[in-house]
Amino acid sequence: MSELYHVSSSPHVRSKDTTSRIMLYVILALLPTSIFGIYNFGYRALVLILVTIASCVASEWIYNRIVHKKNTINDLSAVVTGLLLALNLPATLPWWQAVIGGVFAIIVVKCLFGGLGQNFMNPALGARCFLLIAFAANMVEFDIDSYSGATPLALMREGGVGAVNTMDMLIGKTAGTIGETSALCIIIGAMFLILMGVITLKIPATYIITFVIFITLFGGHGLDASYIVAQLCGGGLMLGAFFMATDYVTSPITPNGQILFGICLGILTGLFRIFGANAEGVSFAIILSNLLVPIIEKITVPRAFGQVREGKQHE
């Protein structure tokens, strides 16, 4: 039998998907919301997207050259980070601040912790939160030719659900960051990722359901469908749920852990939106949940077959 079979060491399950192919799928899935963002906010959105992607790719290439590591820009992860960061920025942000965000995302959040697969939080959201702290005034400035004033969620906090048009929020004809406005485009991209097997609905569905339950209980509007739809379509929740909360590196790999992760996301987002000073909350909710991933995986790892709980061994 030893002449017929050769048993190698694990792992034995292989997939044709590579990192670059998965990243390419994510880029393709983000095209609808990117194109709509450019249409919605004009050439400044396009410039910001190109500049942010270029800064991320250049930062990774330069860092690898300095530390004499293998060039990793071909895996397209830096492109995805730059695109996601750009979609989380207002079109009015000065280009040089977007460059700083791209450098921070790649160098500080990703490369200094070992590169792809070693970062402890989503690089794009880490950079967005850094920019929110460093350039707070510019990061919440949404006045542009097409729109002026606050985001829909900010308007809702001041004047209630009647202050916004939920259909405009679904389509994306509202103020906001480049990629968060059109929930419809985000859903189209998410469906593509699901069909290609890149992501599953476990984390996004748990996130959204938990958030809906939370705002129903504590939002002060009960089961008001318009209020719930407006909350789901605003503040980048759909973009975060499908494209950033599902990041392979910073989300749990255990099935129960993914459910617990989604619950944490929903509760934290609800806390920030309902009781916090900021009307958004998605970015900080995802980052804080990223930090909880090691603990979540530790308490949700399934027992090996045949293993008995310590308390039952003495019964």
Side-chain angles (χ1 to χ4, degrees):
M1 294 294 289
S2 61
E3 296 179 357
L4 297 176
Y5 299 100
H6 174 70
V7 180
S8 60
S9 60
S10 59
H12 303 295
V13 179
R14 298 189 179 186
S15 173
K16 294 181 180 179
D17 285 334
T18 61
T19 300
S20 58
R21 178 176 293 187
I22 291 172
M23 295 301 168
L24 179 60
Y25 288 156
V26 176
I27 293 170
L28 293 175
L30 287 170
L31 283 181
T33 189
S34 301
I35 293 171
F36 183 85
I38 295 169
Y39 163 78
N40 207 22
F41 298 110
Y43 74 95
R44 283 180 284 188
L46 175 61
V47 170
L48 211 61
I49 290 173
L50 295 176
V51 165
T52 309
I53 292 175
S55 67
C56 287
V57 174
S59 297
E60 186 161 318
W61 184 83
I62 293 171
Y63 179 87
N64 288 334
R65 293 277 292 184
I66 292 174
V67 300
H68 304 291
K69 291 182 66 175
K70 180 182 178 182
N71 185 10
T72 56
I73 62 173
N74 292 331
D75 64 15
L76 300 180
S77 62
V79 176
V80 171
T81 297
L83 182 55
L84 282 173
L85 175 57
L87 295 178
N88 278 279
L89 301 177
T92 54
L93 189 76
W95 67 268
W96 61 271
Q97 293 180 9
V99 170
I100 293 176
V103 173
F104 183 89
I106 296 299
I107 302 298
V108 178
V109 182
K110 181 181 177 182
C111 290
L112 290 181
F113 287 90
L116 183 65
Q118 305 298 320
N119 48 286
F120 67 97
M121 68 171 65
N122 186 284
L125 287 184
R128 181 176 191 264
C129 291
F130 167 75
L131 292 175
L132 279 169
I133 297 171
F135 308 105
N138 291 333
M139 284 293 290
V140 295
E141 175 60 53
F142 299 104
D143 287 339
I144 201 166
D145 297 339
S146 305
Y147 310 102
S148 61
T151 61
L153 291 186
L155 293 173
M156 284 176 59
R157 175 167 285 197
E158 296 175 0
V161 69
V164 299
N165 186 314
T166 52
M167 183 57 67
D168 285 347
M169 293 182 69
L170 181 64
I171 296 172
K173 302 296 290 182
T174 62
T177 64
I178 295 172
E180 76 175 13
T181 56
S182 178
L184 184 61
C185 289
I186 295 170
I187 292 172
I188 291 172
M191 290 175 61
F192 173 76
L193 289 184
I194 293 170
L195 290 174
M196 299 307 296
V198 176
I199 66 172
T200 66
L201 276 172
K202 188 168 291 185
I203 291 176
T206 307
Y207 182 4
I208 292 170
I209 292 171
T210 303
F211 176 73
V212 169
I213 293 173
F214 189 95
I215 63 172
T216 300
L217 294 175
F218 303 105
H221 293 267
L223 281 172
D224 186 337
S226 297
Y227 176 76
I228 293 173
V229 171
Q231 285 285 349
L232 290 177
C233 292
L237 190 143
M238 303 301 283
L239 184 66
F242 288 104
F243 286 95
M244 287 172 284
T246 55
D247 177 31
Y248 289 173
V249 179
T250 56
S251 62
I253 60 174
T254 59
N256 290 336
Q258 292 175 355
I259 294 175
L260 183 56
F261 183 68
I263 293 173
C264 290
L265 289 169
I267 293 174
L268 287 173
T269 303
L271 283 172
F272 287 135
R273 285 196 180 181
I274 304 301
F275 302 108
N278 190 284
E280 317 294 337
V282 173
S283 297
F284 289 103
I286 294 177
I287 283 181
L288 288 175
S289 297
N290 289 160
L291 300 178
L292 296 175
V293 167
I295 299 174
I296 292 174
E297 289 187 332
K298 184 176 181 179
I299 63 177
T300 58
V301 62
R303 296 197 309 274
F305 180 74
Q307 183 179 1
V308 182
R309 292 185 183 276
E310 185 176 348
K312 293 185 178 181
Q313 292 178 351
H314 305 290
E315 293 180 359

